[in-house]
Amino acid sequence: MTTSLATKMQEPMWLDAAVTTTPQEAAMVHRLRSAVVSEGERPISFILGAGISNGAAPSTKRMVELFQRSMSKDPEDERDLEQLLAQTQPRDHYQTAAQFVIERAGISRLNRVVRLAVLTARSPQIPPDVASEYLGDSAQLEQLDSDWRGWLIPRGLGALGRLIELVPHESRGPILTTNFDPLIESSLRAAGLVPHLVCADVDGAIPTTPPLPSVVPVNHLHGYWNQGDTLHTGAQLTRSRPRLLGSLRQVLTRTTCIVLGYGGWDDLLTESIWRLVEEGAERDIEILWGCHGPTAELGRLTDKALPGRLQPYVNVDANSLLPAVETAVRDRLRPGSRKTTSGRPGRSGVPAFEDIDSEFIESHLSRDTSPISAISYFDGRSPTWVDAIGNRAPRLDLTQEIDRVLKEQPAHHVAYLLSGPTGEGKSTMLRQIAGRLSEDLGNRVLWMSAAGGFEPHDVTSLPVTSSRVWVVIDDADLFAKRIATVVRELDRVGRSDIQLLLAARDGDWARAVQMESASIPSRALRVFKVGGITQSDAKQITRAWGQFGDRALGKLLTLTPADRASALFGASQGNSEGALLGAMLETRYGNDFRQHIWELMKRLNHVKLPGGRSLLEAYGAICLVYRHGISRLPLTYLGEWLDMSETEVEGLVVYRLGREAAAERHGDSIVPRHRRIAQEVVDLLPEFAINEVDLMREVVASVVRGARGSRWDEDILAVVYAGQNLESKSLAIAAADGAVRGDDRQLRLVNYRVSVYREFDEIDDALLIAERAWTSIDRFDDLRLTLRKFLITWARVAGRAGQYRDSAALNACALLDVPDMGALTSDEATRALSGLAWSLGMLPEADRHATGRGACAESALYLAPSAELREQATRYLNDASRDGYSELDTAKQRGAIVATIKESLKSSKIGPARHYEVHAAKLHQLLSVAQL
């Protein structure tokens, strides 16, 4: 039977090659299979050179010929290039020819040659004259680039895309390539994946990839064929790009890195590889380098003494290696099956979601099943699918009850939410329920990772079928607004074939719903409260521990099975945060829990991070802010303090702390796994010569520094203004000092610092801070927005210091119409008028000015926006009345206030009073606000 043209057009064009295997290639196949199947969550990265595209895109030898042809119109240029190549080593021909084209014809000519060369990899092939016309049409080039079915894909690259699709998304590292063509992207699209293209042809850190299950980052280090200039010459390839160099080293850290088709040019990538292997165990990288020829051709690394972490393999052909690896991995993951995914769409077809089916379950069950991994889960590590659906976590009574409800009454609600404190088992339970739902052939279950994101339309527009669709989302608070949109729309149209199954911390969900106005009708949402365990649960949990040996049972080892269960059940009966996880830690470690945390901290202290600090310092900062109820610590600003990129923080901090069951990522922040752990860590910091006060100051400063110029959300504000809520004087002052250290051009931060010092009776220091700020007041970026508040705060400090005339003058200054200050608010007017009335009332009896005090207090009472300020104004008005004040008409009240402000400014020698005395009569805003 013949295949129709229409059918052929739906498939990418695969280039076959004879499949042969050499001994070294066979060894590399086994090593790569092990890396994919047996090494769990360790990311796998790729470095791919021109050799990977051979047979489709022009080889380097063919590119030299094309460069020569581009110069053939000028006989002199043609002759000079021929002579130059004759004098050059063959391995340097490419760079030599490219440099010649740039010098004689310019970079635009070079870019034109590259684009025409890439277009020769189209099928059917584009005629040269048509290809030349395309070069001037960027829209046409973009369309060709995205049409992945029209590119020739060598057999090896086709297998690469399918192989990466088999790798769990959390274990996929980046692809780094020196190629300009889109063939890698096309192979990924053919496997149902979404390539995230990064064109890193200038100096800059490699940006963070959207953390979606189907997205694979592809970093083109020498440029991309239809985007700007490409890099070819020695000068271009070796020029200093320090930020990119540092970023490359970090994205490859803690990965198994596979190098194919790359000859080790003397470029930035080779320098990155060499530095990584020199740093060895610190970077935790292993490089597997496949060389096409019979000798290890590693470019500038060839003559180096290769460390054990760089293993070359010779006689390796990517077109036979990668298909063999794909087959080996499939055989190991699903014995007896060699089904390929050639050209099929993504498994779910719904962006950001994966289908939970037998293939999904089987692939995850083949991951790390070691006792060490199990024990880290019992210690509090965030659950994986292996933990939830393997033999580590029994199905608790509540899980079985929810199973029953969802089976018998699935359509009673649009959404079901598992809600409870951290450490109660919500994420494990969610995976178990999702797995059970997937066993019903009438269900389709879609899973989204917590780090991902989705568009509501992708869910609400799912076609109606005979299947019930379950959309499963962990850490649902991160997507509360989008979830609410989906639920309201499904409820509105009456669709009963789509349900959402969600999990979130109770406090996080409530906060997200409030902040994002993401309310859901009660009829559409059922909440299951997750917390605590039954005696039956305790028996199952301790029985599961017993399967993993003495370490898993810990202090329970000497007890009978019944006593183990009783101990766990008893420890879990409390109202503390994360009672279940806390009980698990308490029963397994007992009085040795503190020692367990100390040993964890000792390990972390030995891990040095690129910025110079230890991993323990990073963890201490995370625990410090969490223990004191400040907030989660945003990863971006943690990186600012550690002097590390987000990529470095993700790989060297988040990943390692997660594996240690010490902390977990939540959205863009990181938190300890349990408050008790955070408390112990902070208490033990001095034993590792880490000062809690210094740590608080430095962390707050880093958050402020990193947040400059951006909008401050709730988490940032909580850290920046931590000093307002801390009970410890030393920590509160350290936090306020850190805020100003982070950005000393924000008067609002100076104002906050003065307030904290005043709150803890450090009056002399508060006055000194205010006075120093005034001496350089013009340098503040937010002067107009904050100056009135600053003067009012300073006035309160002066009053506490007994400087009542200065306090009155400062309050008077805050009421003036001057260019340095913005609009006067009713709150500012109330506080300044009340402060003025109080300050005057503290003067000697002859200077108390009962009329002026009373007029100010009466206006403050009229303006007061809150009960607290009304009570304060009433108190000062009563004091003035006892001194003889009686209610005035509007004109007299206005006159009394104006006279009092003038007199207050005149009676003080404090800096603002002297500076603003000439504006004493400018009170239009005050009189308008107070309706005088």
Side-chain angles (χ1 to χ4, degrees), residues 732-743:
I733 287 177
D737 290 346
V740 175
R741 178 181 295 183
D743 189 351

Side-chain angles (χ1 to χ4, degrees), residues 150-445:
W151 294 99
L152 294 168
I153 302 178
R155 181 184 179 88
L157 266 183
L160 176 68
R162 298 190 296 272
L163 176 62
I164 292 175
E165 195 266 346
L166 292 174
V167 177
H169 68 89
E170 65 267 18
S171 297
R172 293 180 194 146
I175 296 175
L176 305 173
T177 181
T178 55
N179 297 351
F180 317 123
D181 58 65
L183 302 189
I184 296 172
E185 285 82 351
S186 297
S187 73
L188 294 172
R189 289 191 174 102
L193 299 170
V194 180
H196 177 70
L197 186 149
V198 176
C199 186
D201 58 347
V202 295
D203 190 30
I206 294 174
T208 302
T209 301
L212 304 176
S214 58
V215 174
V216 179
V218 183
N219 301 278
H220 288 263
L221 302 180
H222 293 175
Y224 194 62
W225 77 286
N226 69 341
Q227 295 184 16
D229 298 333
T230 46
L231 309 183
H232 306 263
T233 70
Q236 291 174 327
L237 299 176
T238 59
R239 77 173 188 265
S240 176
R241 292 195 278 170
R243 292 185 64 200
L244 182 56
L245 175 61
S247 188
L248 283 174
R249 292 166 63 203
Q250 293 316 312
V251 299
L252 294 175
T253 292
R254 195 189 47 78
T255 70
T256 298
C257 180
I258 301 159
V259 184
L260 295 170
Y262 177 65
W265 282 11
D266 187 10
D267 64 356
L268 187 74
L269 187 53
T270 305
E271 184 177 357
S272 299
I273 295 172
W274 180 243
R275 289 197 186 181
L276 285 166
V277 296
E278 279 189 319
E279 291 167 359
E282 178 185 343
R283 289 294 180 176
D284 191 19
I285 184 174
E286 183 175 4
I287 298 176
L288 313 177
W289 196 317
C291 304
H292 189 267
T295 58
E297 298 175 355
L298 310 180
R300 64 180 292 200
L301 305 182
T302 300
D303 298 326
K304 302 283 187 180
L306 297 178
R309 288 179 175 266
L310 196 162
Q311 176 60 51
Y313 297 83
V314 299
N315 293 319
V316 171
D317 183 351
N319 284 319
S320 55
L321 171 84
L322 291 171
V325 174
E326 180 198 0
T327 298
V329 169
R330 288 189 183 282
D331 285 348
R332 181 58 61 92
L333 293 179
R334 294 190 294 156
S337 170
R338 297 200 178 192
K339 176 184 174 184
T340 69
T341 58
S342 160
R344 65 184 177 90
R347 294 189 64 249
S348 73
V350 184
F353 289 92
E354 296 178 84
D355 269 311
I356 300 179
D357 52 20
S358 59
E359 181 179 346
F360 178 94
I361 298 296
E362 289 172 14
S363 68
H364 280 276
L365 283 176
S366 67
R367 312 312 301 174
D368 188 359
T369 57
S370 68
I372 293 176
S373 175
I375 290 168
S376 73
Y377 170 62
F378 301 149
D379 282 346
R381 172 178 51 75
S382 298
T384 64
W385 282 93
V386 173
D387 301 320
I389 59 181
N391 60 346
R392 299 173 183 174
R395 301 180 71 81
L396 305 183
D397 288 350
L398 179 58
T399 307
Q400 297 180 54
E401 171 62 17
I402 297 173
D403 282 340
R404 184 191 63 77
V405 170
L406 299 187
K407 182 177 181 181
E408 296 177 1
Q409 306 168 354
H412 278 205
H413 303 276
V414 178
Y416 297 87
L417 172 67
L418 312 183
S419 173
T422 186
E424 290 290 356
K426 299 179 300 300
S427 294
T428 298
M429 189 178 294
L430 184 73
R431 287 165 171 80
Q432 290 176 331
I433 295 169
R436 182 60 57 87
L437 288 170
S438 72
E439 295 172 3
D440 187 334
L441 296 179
N443 289 332
R444 183 188 183 191
V445 184

